[in-house]
Amino acid sequence: MKKLWPVLFLLLAACKQKEYNADLLVKNALVYTVDSTFTTANAFVVSSGKILAVGNIDTLEKQYLAREVIDAGGKAVYPGFIDAHAHFYEYGLGLQDVKLVGTKSWDAVLDSVSSYSRHKTDGWIIGNGWDQNIWANKAFPNKAKLDSLFPVRPVLLSRVDGHAAIANQAALNIAGIKPGQKITGGEIETVNGKLTGILVDNAVGIVTRKIPAPTEQITQAALLDAQRNCFAVGLTTVDDCGLPYTMVNTIAALQHKGDLKMRMYVMLADQQENYDYLFKRGAYKTPGLNVRAFKVYADGALGSRGACLLHPYSDQKNWSGFLLSSKAHFEEVAKKIAAHGFQMCTHAIGDSANRVMLKIYAENLKGKNNKRWRIEHAQIVSPQDVKLFGDNNIIPSVQPTHATSDMVWAAKRLGAERLKTGYAYKDLMKQNGWIPLGTDFPVENINPMYTFYAATERRDLKGSPDGGFQMENALSRTEALRGMTVWAAKANFEEHEKGSIEVGKYADFVILDQDIMKVKGSELPNVKVLKTYINGVKVYEKK
Ligand SMILES: [Zn+2]
């Protein structure tokens, strides 16, 4: 035993020499810190999940001894991406449904549904993603063939924007929908006294309310499936827009267990029980979950002509769309959200919906303020209303891929002149000097690279149009990157904890295979995430 002492002493001495004072050192990187002056660095240090130091490798290596060292091989490193407007949970649930995005015809939709029904052999058939705008005839489908294929099983297939759906007769029966039935804020299409199965906006809800609620197991699987795909594209925070309060506990429990690592900013839906919950409880805030906002719908979407316009649609006479609730409802909601000090986030697509909401916001915000009330989408805004954003510090929260998805048909809905007032991200950005970016996934793809490309190049994945769509409203690459990181954080009141690689912030970052600040514009959609980190811990690595 005695003989062991010198060995032990040496071991202790060796340990003492190796006194770690950091968890992680990232070196040989081109680090875009996205701080206020857009500084770059070649290394940074992480301790206890947060950024401890950023700077030059020679200095940092002298000061810090980290347990783990990542040699980035000269690759570019960015703050983890934030999607300021998404439907994360719904996307996860959708992963379990029939995927109809990109189907080229109604018959192709029916084929997909039929083959899905052979795998999932009972219960409701739920599908999403069809878009008649990419079909040859561009007309809404009719349920006749769906009824003959599925006379008993209820089927509900949502349009890509989620604002319209087609249901078969079995589903309509369960929902008790009758030909000619009217509903405010929606439409039940009836032709020659017969239901076509097409339901628009609030009418869709009559059917969806009859779908049995997902079990706790399905709910958890949906969140984890969504997380897996989102980590692979570099997302480290998502804003989930319009959840019921009951999801708060599910998310919190899953995060507490360590299974759900995705950080979430949750907006609760415009429903009395959600107001009751949050007003009584107060804001909910942990490092992974922030609940302090409400999501309200002013109108529908442009594709299904549900967006509320000041003047009629160019391709439908005497039709201007509609508000989803009365103005009085929006006024009342705004007043109570203001009184309780929460954030209001309103979906507004059409120029009329935007005007209504901007005015209601202005009455409550009364000029310059730091309440960060948001207009989600702000898609078509009358030039005379744009300044209301700046005057009242209202945040336009926009989705650049909507511009490049809609541009092929939006002119038909709006006409050339009105189209110029749409998707005006640069003009909107100038109002407050910053703008958060998102995707509205699953309406669009989850990939932030597509957002970056659409915002800066204003072209679709096929590269059209040449020279970009309404380029006066393109963002610079610096602006687009800020929009996906620190400005998105700011829209969530989280710019002091995330959104840039700066001392004291969470060590959420991504390593990309190419430098998006330098690569050719047409290359941007092909840029891949090599690794994604949350709290300095790897959550994704490209195989
Ligand atoms: Zn949305």
Side-chain angles (χ1 to χ4, degrees), residues 29-188:
L30 173 54
V31 183
Y32 287 94
T33 64
V34 195
D35 64 5
S36 61
T37 52
F38 215 72
T39 317
T40 54
N42 62 21
F44 62 94
V45 177
V46 174
S47 176
S48 304
K50 290 189 174 169
I51 307 286
L52 186 61
V54 186
N56 188 283
I57 186 60
D58 300 324
T59 327
L60 295 185
E61 252 177 352
K62 272 183 209 132
Q63 269 179 286
Y64 298 100
L65 187 62
R67 267 167 239 280
E68 190 192 345
V69 176
I70 299 171
D71 185 329
K75 298 286 187 210
V77 176
Y78 305 85
F81 300 128
I82 301 172
D83 191 316
H85 183 119
H87 302 275
F88 179 75
Y89 171 55
E90 190 188 315
Y91 164 73
L93 277 180
L95 293 173
Q96 301 169 12
D97 297 340
V98 202
K99 272 156 264 330
L100 303 170
V101 173
T103 37
K104 292 283 179 328
S105 64
W106 176 234
D107 283 334
V109 168
L110 295 171
D111 284 346
S112 299
V113 175
S114 299
S115 70
Y116 174 89
S117 73
R118 288 191 281 275
H119 302 289
K120 188 180 179 278
T121 52
D122 64 343
W124 281 70
I125 296 175
I126 313 291
N128 52 63
W130 60 268
D131 181 1
Q132 86 288 356
N133 280 321
I134 59 170
W135 301 346
N137 63 1
K138 301 199 174 10
F140 269 156
N142 180 298
K143 70 180 175 62
K145 283 183 185 170
L146 206 53
D147 286 341
S148 59
L149 282 169
F150 303 99
V152 182
R153 280 182 82 177
V155 183
L156 182 71
L157 311 173
S158 301
R159 196 182 175 276
V160 66
D161 61 9
H163 288 274
I166 182 161
N168 69 346
Q169 192 56 46
L172 295 168
N173 287 345
I174 292 171
I177 292 176
K178 299 274 179 302
Q181 191 175 325
K182 297 272 175 268
I183 176 167
T184 41
E187 200 194 343
I188 294 160

Side-chain angles (χ1 to χ4, degrees), residues 341-373:
F342 287 94
Q343 183 191 40
M344 184 161 175
C345 310
T346 306
H347 164 120
I349 301 255
D351 47 9
S352 176
N354 273 284
R355 178 172 293 175
V356 167
M357 294 316 301
L358 285 165
K359 288 194 170 157
I360 293 174
Y361 274 25
E363 278 160 28
N364 283 278
L365 298 170
K366 298 182 178 73
K368 297 285 179 196
N369 67 88
N370 193 28
K371 295 189 178 135
R372 305 186 195 182
W373 280 20

Side-chain angles (χ1 to χ4, degrees), residues 180-197:
Q181 191 175 325
K182 297 272 175 268
I183 176 167
T184 41
E187 200 194 343
I188 294 160
E189 197 181 65
T190 307
V191 174
N192 299 331
K194 282 184 182 160
L195 292 166
T196 64

Side-chain angles (χ1 to χ4, degrees), residues 85 87 295 377 440:
H85 183 119
H87 302 275
K295 163 79 180 294
H377 312 306
D440 204 12

